[in-house]
Amino acid sequence: MHEKGLLIVLSGPSGVGKGTVRKAIFSQPDLDFKYSISMTTRTPREGEVDGVDYFFKTREEFELLIEQGKLLEYAEFVGNYYGTPVDYVQETLDSGKDVFLEIEVQGARQVREKFPDGLFIFLMPPSLSELKNRIVTRGTETEEIINNRLNVAKEEIEMMHLYDYVVENDQIELACERIKAIVVAEHCRRERLEPKYLKMLEVK
Amino acid sequence: MHEKGLLIVLSGPSGVGKGTVRKAIFSQPDLDFKYSISMTTRTPREGEVDGVDYFFKTREEFELLIEQGKLLEYAEFVGNYYGTPVDYVQETLDSGKDVFLEIEVQGARQVREKFPDGLFIFLMPPSLSELKNRIVTRGTETEEIINNRLNVAKEEIEMMHLYDYVVENDQIELACERIKAIVVAEHCRRERLEPKYLKMLEVK
């Protein structure tokens, strides 16, 4: 009997750079955890590959999966569904490997209910003005849209209390190092290891 | 106002290699935490320097410090006192720096009572037979002394429940990396950071 893997959830407000940090982590060779690819109904952007960046589905396919309870979490954003297929997560955890999710705050809340023992990491902008900069430089949005997004981000930051760790995304490399350290540390938590070691004492 | 430093306590059964791991950690250049030098009444071994390896004190001096409440923890071992001066620890923590203690299990228990928020790391041998090997190869002890030490070590391992983390000392470098990861992770704990970030939301 091997131990179960750890469910690692990276989330945080829109615009904080979750995707960039996740890609940086998974570009490293010495990684022990598996990335759970999300599912979406949005159209692939140029260069995006089905089964690598996302599993691209039609609205009908996605809604069927919702009905069948095949999604660990899902949410609708600007008219498109995004979600996490539950089977891959469950099978990978059962095989003893850690699974890494990078999802929106509302999705993370759903996962927390189903996996209270998961490792929840909140990616945080260094400041609100920095977050505003990132939202602004993303595109050509109007002042109104920008302020709206910033208000949504503030509401998302208020969800921080549902998380175990907060990682500041001041520099991508530093954020990656912190996230990897958190995973290492979590595997050393006494509650997780004590049963194994107390068993050691029983054997002469 | 800066944040207070973190009190990091490394302990574990006799013979597990606490001193070796601690020295390996402090031989690294990129370290953010301060080592709290212990005080002892035992005679310096060859090459040991007062104020570097230990603060060497007479029995009378040590007992006066106990009376004056100047020791965070202390214990008597094979006729000698060992202890941690409280002032250095308190001043360093107040200045915002992390302090690292490497102490015996009975001392760690005293520290836990005074610093319940400290970070307590239990260094664990990979197996009991490995621990026995290490005790045996340390010197020319009789079978009786060795078995006695092993029984003490088992009792010490049963104190594991007082700790936050368990680090296996299978390889010194790996143990060091895990300990450093735990310190990084602990600084990212949400309870620790949330007040700072919620303040950020109040400012426009």
Side-chain angles (χ1 to χ4, degrees):
Chain A
M1 269 289 295
H2 50 236
E3 275 174 79
K4 274 204 165 194
L6 190 65
L7 181 63
I8 305 156
V9 178
L10 180 68
S11 191
S14 328
V16 71
K18 295 187 288 292
T20 312
V21 167
R22 183 257 302 166
K23 278 178 200 155
I25 290 178
F26 280 91
S27 71
Q28 299 176 1
D30 57 340
L31 219 60
D32 271 339
F33 36 93
K34 299 278 183 188
Y35 177 54
S36 160
I37 301 162
S38 292
M39 206 169 263
T40 184
T41 59
R42 81 153 163 72
T43 323
R45 293 186 191 138
E46 211 184 307
E48 282 184 341
V49 177
D50 186 40
V52 174
D53 299 287
Y54 283 98
F55 295 112
F56 294 100
K57 299 282 169 188
T58 65
R59 221 174 153 80
E60 293 66 39
E61 287 170 330
F62 202 103
E63 284 172 350
L64 185 64
L65 291 167
I66 296 174
E67 268 174 49
Q68 295 173 332
K70 291 287 191 191
L71 296 173
L72 175 55
E73 56 82 30
Y74 70 94
E76 206 170 350
F77 262 114
V78 212
N80 290 307
Y81 282 122
Y82 294 81
T84 302
V86 70
D87 287 350
Y88 177 81
V89 171
Q90 198 59 66
E91 286 161 15
T92 312
L93 293 177
D94 288 346
S95 80
K97 287 238 181 291
D98 297 347
V99 177
F100 189 99
L101 306 184
E102 176 241 310
I103 54 179
E104 300 298 328
V105 171
Q106 41 174 319
R109 184 180 209 163
Q110 298 170 45
V111 179
R112 187 54 136 177
E113 280 163 23
K114 291 174 190 163
F115 286 87
D117 292 342
L119 174 56
F120 287 74
I121 303 173
F122 194 85
L123 195 66
M124 185 67 191
S127 68
L128 278 188
S129 56
E130 177 59 28
L131 183 65
K132 191 172 173 181
N133 281 344
R134 291 181 197 187
I135 293 172
V136 170
T137 52
R138 256 194 180 182
T140 54
E141 284 89 351
T142 64
E143 184 78 8
E144 199 192 332
I145 292 180
I146 290 167
N147 283 332
N148 187 32
R149 286 213 182 150
L150 202 57
N151 284 331
V152 171
K154 283 185 190 178
E155 283 171 29
E156 289 174 331
I157 291 172
E158 280 162 9
M159 305 291 286
M160 192 189 279
H161 66 276
L162 293 173
Y163 292 74
D164 304 301
Y165 294 93
V166 178
V167 166
E168 197 165 299
N169 190 17
D170 45 357
Q171 289 181 48
I172 293 167
E173 292 74 23
L174 283 178
C176 290
E177 287 312 308
R178 289 178 197 129
I179 290 167
K180 284 166 66 185
I182 289 168
V183 175
V184 169
E186 197 67 20
H187 278 285
C188 296
R189 286 194 76 80
R190 192 251 310 151
E191 308 94 285
R192 202 175 286 282
L193 296 172
E194 198 171 18
K196 171 182 158 194
Y197 287 119
L198 292 185
K199 204 172 258 178
M200 187 200 280
L201 290 184
E202 292 163 19
V203 194
K204 269 278 178 187
Chain B
M1 272 287 294
H2 48 238
E3 275 176 80
K4 275 203 165 195
L6 192 64
L7 182 63
I8 305 155
V9 178
L10 179 69
S11 191
S14 326
V16 72
K18 296 187 287 293
T20 312
V21 167
R22 183 256 302 165
K23 278 177 198 154
I25 289 178
F26 280 91
S27 71
Q28 298 177 0
D30 57 341
L31 219 60
D32 270 340
F33 37 92
K34 299 280 182 186
Y35 177 53
S36 159
I37 300 161
S38 292
M39 207 169 262
T40 184
T41 59
R42 82 154 162 71
T43 324
R45 293 185 191 137
E46 211 184 307
E48 283 185 342
V49 178
D50 186 39
V52 175
D53 299 286
Y54 284 98
F55 295 112
F56 294 101
K57 299 282 168 187
T58 66
R59 223 176 152 76
E60 294 67 38
E61 287 171 330
F62 201 102
E63 286 173 348
L64 185 63
L65 290 169
I66 295 174
E67 270 175 45
Q68 293 173 333
K70 291 288 193 190
L71 295 172
L72 175 55
E73 57 82 29
Y74 71 94
E76 206 170 351
F77 261 113
V78 214
N80 290 306
Y81 283 123
Y82 294 80
T84 302
V86 69
D87 287 352
Y88 177 80
V89 171
Q90 197 60 66
E91 286 161 16
T92 313
L93 293 177
D94 288 347
S95 79
K97 286 236 181 293
D98 296 348
V99 177
F100 188 98
L101 306 184
E102 176 242 310
I103 53 178
E104 301 298 329
V105 170
Q106 41 175 320
R109 185 181 208 162
Q110 299 171 43
V111 179
R112 187 55 136 177
E113 280 164 22
K114 291 174 190 163
F115 285 87
D117 292 342
L119 174 56
F120 287 74
I121 303 173
F122 194 84
L123 196 66
M124 186 68 191
S127 68
L128 277 187
S129 57
E130 177 60 28
L131 184 65
K132 192 173 173 180
N133 281 343
R134 290 181 196 186
I135 293 172
V136 171
T137 52
R138 254 195 181 181
T140 54
E141 284 89 352
T142 65
E143 185 78 10
E144 199 193 333
I145 292 180
I146 289 168
N147 282 332
N148 187 33
R149 286 215 182 147
L150 201 58
N151 284 331
V152 171
K154 282 185 191 177
E155 284 171 29
E156 288 173 331
I157 292 172
E158 280 164 8
M159 306 290 286
M160 193 189 277
H161 65 277
L162 293 173
Y163 291 74
D164 305 301
Y165 294 94
V166 179
V167 166
E168 196 165 298
N169 190 18
D170 45 356
Q171 288 181 48
I172 294 168
E173 293 72 24
L174 282 179
C176 289
E177 287 312 308
R178 289 177 196 129
I179 291 167
K180 285 166 66 184
I182 289 168
V183 175
V184 169
E186 197 67 21
H187 278 287
C188 296
R189 286 193 76 78
R190 193 252 310 150
E191 307 93 286
R192 204 175 285 283
L193 295 172
E194 198 172 18
K196 170 182 157 193
Y197 287 120
L198 291 186
K199 204 173 257 176
M200 188 201 277
L201 290 184
E202 292 164 16
V203 193
K204 269 282 178 186

